[in-house]
Amino acid sequence: MRALVLGPIEVWVGDKQVSLGGPKPRTLLAALLLQPRQVVPVERLIDLIWDESPPQTAGALVHTYVSSLRRAVRGRRTSSTG
């Protein structure tokens, strides 16, 4: 797996680009990739994704974005290998 964060945020598995969704999941991924092997508090992720006015459901949305990113990468790995 290869992740690109300078320029458009992209993830590639082999020669296939992984669909990451819209700008908010991409921002989340970039924030996590820029702090490898570190816990990033949900509150920090909310601040990065929504700037000044996050919705009341922001915490749940962060969990949803993480889950969808995991599925996207896992699905691409499965289909690439097998």
Side-chain angles (χ1 to χ4, degrees), residues 3-82:
L4 307 172
V5 294
L6 298 176
I9 299 164
E10 300 175 355
V11 172
W12 291 78
V13 175
D15 62 348
K16 306 287 184 188
Q17 186 174 2
V18 176
S19 175
L20 300 173
K24 288 179 176 41
R26 289 172 183 274
T27 301
L28 168 69
L29 179 61
L32 296 173
L33 288 170
L34 291 172
Q35 297 186 50
R37 293 180 173 77
Q38 295 181 32
V39 174
V40 182
V42 172
E43 295 79 16
R44 176 70 179 134
L45 296 171
I46 290 170
D47 289 343
L48 291 169
I49 295 169
W50 282 279
D51 294 327
E52 297 177 14
S53 56
Q56 289 184 340
T57 59
L61 287 168
V62 167
H63 291 283
T64 299
Y65 297 152
V66 168
S67 178
S68 67
L69 289 170
R70 283 180 175 158
R71 268 195 313 274
V73 171
R74 190 178 312 130
R76 178 57 69 192
R77 283 184 180 165
T78 302
S79 63
S80 293
T81 59

